[in-house]
């Protein structure tokens, strides 16, 4: 899993050098397999203002641009379709080496001299966007280094997550680990909502016909959104994590997935027949076309998300073509749910279909984080796409998820680990991992793990947590 260091800094203060942070995580059981710099080689690229441009006399799709780079005006040949007079764009002068290794040189292009290069985002390694030159903010100053207005230089960590730690498949999960090891506190993402739309029960409802396969299903609605590209900051972060930007609405679901570890799905509300959701099993022999255009043969073991008449998503794995967000989408229903890990694992394995969502659902997500992720996605969608959030959310949860309380013995832990830790020290380690710790006698603690730690069920699991925070090198 790839995560930018600067994104982690949003949720925990990090004073360590990148190399020291990698060592800390690896020694805590989260092996950092690699680290790549990002945005480190942009200081030679300048802000340029396009003074004017005219068609190239010898080429149909090229233009001759006059570009102000502060101390001089240069002539550049460019084929970008989004050129405009007065626009500000990144400019590489001759002799500049781009992040991908390309050396910019003065050249004759169809008989016209070009002294530099106006750059798209992908040519600077910022995103995959090559639809035109990158348009910089209007208050940028020609001749200034473009690095001054772009995100600060970053490092992307490639972290190997073991199957028993689904809580660490997100930015907040890794931030929690760093906080526990360094004595810091994590910050939570903003989720406050302005609910200006009609009450949600006037717009939709959710029916769970299989509460075993789906013990919790939350839904929210936002109306009158303006579908379009996401802002650069979000597209940049998704790119660093290896995901492609699609649109502001869809990007929000992927962004929250990476941020909080909760898979989400956005449906076009108006394409849901009867504007409602039904969760149930498929019938043997059913067929369903997923977002990738493939028609899947289903069995009675497969859990489906349906509207009032037909399936619209393969639960926990992939949505369907019949309800996807498209250019005309104005109203959106957002799904945030908890699906039974075994159900998702069986279907994904049988169909040979692994996605970012199924990867997490198979291992077990935080059942108490479902509502938080839904509110976070509505908050971001409102911020990026406008619209009106319906009043309230649907939280269909037939029963509460049971809490696990574990008896933890201090003397036995010390014998097991070969340590001489006190009960107070062990208690502090467990509390640093957001566990509830209570006294249960001279040598014993009663420990309740947080809901996101689905891997903790036995005393020996807690012993391993003490060993991790005390340092495996001290065992």
């Amino acid at each position: 899993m790839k995560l930018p260091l600067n994104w982690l800094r949003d949720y925990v203060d990090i004073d360590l050098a990148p190399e020291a942070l990698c060592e800390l995580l690896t020694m805590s059981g989260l092996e950092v397999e690699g680290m790549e710099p990002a945005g480190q080689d942009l200081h030679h690229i300048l802000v340029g203002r396009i003074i004017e441009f005219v068609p190239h006399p010898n080429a149909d799709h090229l233009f001759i641009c006059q570009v102000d780079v502060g101390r001089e005006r240069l002539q550049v040949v460019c084929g970008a379709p989004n050129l405009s007079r007065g626009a500000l764009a990144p400019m590489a002068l001759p002799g500049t080496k781009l992040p991908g290794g390309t050396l910019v040189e003065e050249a004759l292009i169809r008989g016209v001299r070009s002294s530099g290069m106006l750059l798209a985002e992908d040519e600077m390694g910022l995103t995959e966007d090559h639809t035109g030159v990158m348009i910089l903010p209007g208050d940028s100053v020609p001749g200034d280094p473009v690095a001054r207005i772009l995100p600060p230089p970053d490092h992307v960590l490639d972290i190997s997550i073991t199957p028993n730690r689904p809580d660490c498949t997100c930015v907040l999960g890794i931030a929690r680990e760093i906080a526990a090891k360094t004595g810091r506190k994590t910050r939570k993402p903003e989720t406050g909502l302005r609910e200006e739309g009609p009450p949600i029960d006037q717009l939709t409802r959710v029916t769970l016909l299989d509460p075993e396969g789906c013990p919790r299903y939350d839904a929210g609605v936002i109306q009158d959104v303006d579908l379009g590209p996401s802002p650069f900051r979000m597209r940049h972060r998704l790119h660093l994590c290896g995901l492609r930007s699609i649109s502001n609405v869809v990007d929000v679901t992927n962004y929250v997935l990476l941020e909080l570890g909760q898979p989400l799905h956005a449906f076009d509300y108006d394409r849901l027949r009867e504007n409602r959701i039904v969760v149930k099993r498929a019938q043997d022999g059913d067929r369903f076309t997923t977002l990738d255009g493939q028609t899947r043969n289903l069995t009675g073991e497969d859990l489906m998300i349906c509207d009032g008449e037909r399936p619209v998503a393969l639960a926990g794995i992939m949505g369907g073509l019949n309800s996807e967000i498209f250019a005309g989408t104005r109203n959106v229903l957002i799904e945030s749910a908890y699906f039974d890990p075994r159900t998702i694992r069986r279907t994904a394995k049988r169909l040979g279909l692994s996605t970012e969502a199924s990867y997490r659902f198979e291992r077990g997500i935080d059942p108490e984080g479902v509502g938080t992720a839904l509110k976070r996605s509505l908050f971001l969608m409102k911020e990026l796409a406008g619209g009106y959030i319906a009043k309230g959310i649907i939280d269909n949860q037939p029963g509460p998820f049971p809490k696990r309380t574990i008896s933890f013995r201090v003397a036995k832990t010390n014998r097991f680990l070969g340590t001489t830790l006190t009960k107070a020290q062990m208690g502090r380690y467990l509390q640093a991992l957001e566990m509830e710790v209570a006294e249960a006698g001279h040598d014993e603690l009663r420990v309740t793990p947080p809901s996101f730690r689905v891997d903790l069920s036995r005393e020996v699991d807690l012993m391993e947590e003490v060993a991790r925070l005390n340092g495996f090198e001290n065992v």
Side-chain angles (χ1 to χ4, degrees), residues 301-333:
E301 289 190 345
D302 301 327
L303 189 66
M304 304 300 295
I305 309 301
C306 307
D307 58 18
E309 300 178 9
R310 60 193 177 154
V312 291
L314 195 57
I317 301 176
M318 187 178 286
L321 280 176
N322 55 5
S323 60
E324 70 174 328
I325 302 298
F326 74 115
T329 295
R330 298 293 294 171
N331 304 309
V332 179
L333 183 146

Side-chain angles (χ1 to χ4, degrees), residues 4-7 9-10 36-42 126 146-156 232-233 236-237 240:
L5 179 54
N6 286 340
W7 199 351
R9 293 184 194 276
D10 285 356
E36 294 291 335
Q40 309 277 352
D41 304 317
L42 304 179
L126 299 173
V146 75
R148 290 183 183 176
I149 54 177
L150 293 177
D154 207 345
H155 290 84
V156 179
F232 170 75
R233 180 174 179 269
H236 177 56
R237 284 187 167 178
L240 293 181

Side-chain angles (χ1 to χ4, degrees), residues 83 111 140 161 238 241 315 329 339 346 417 434 461 465:
L83 299 174
S140 306
I161 308 298
L238 291 175
C241 293
T329 295
F339 297 115
R346 288 168 182 163
L417 299 179
E434 301 188 27
D461 297 330
E465 296 305 290

Side-chain angles (χ1 to χ4, degrees), residues 401-452:
F401 286 83
K403 287 190 173 183
R404 295 152 290 144
T405 300
I406 305 168
S407 296
F408 182 70
R409 290 164 290 183
V410 175
K412 183 176 180 180
T413 300
N414 276 324
R415 288 197 303 272
F416 189 73
L417 299 179
T419 53
T420 56
L421 299 170
T422 66
K423 184 166 68 171
Q425 286 174 306
M426 292 185 187
R428 285 195 294 270
Y429 286 146
L430 297 174
Q431 287 173 331
L433 292 164
E434 301 188 27
M435 302 188 202
E436 296 176 15
V437 179
E439 293 282 347
H442 171 70
D443 184 58
E444 191 172 329
L445 296 170
R446 298 285 287 173
V447 180
T448 303
S451 59
F452 55 80

Side-chain angles (χ1 to χ4, degrees), residues 144-190:
D144 277 359
V146 75
R148 290 183 183 176
I149 54 177
L150 293 177
D154 207 345
H155 290 84
V156 179
L157 310 184
D158 190 355
I159 305 173
S160 176
I161 308 298
T162 54
N164 67 318
R165 293 301 306 272
D167 61 297
C168 287
T169 59
C170 61
V171 175
L172 184 58
I174 300 298
R176 283 192 295 249
E177 288 290 301
I178 296 170
K181 285 291 289 184
T182 60
R184 303 284 185 169
K185 296 290 185 182
T186 54
R187 295 179 285 271
K188 299 297 188 288
E190 188 172 355

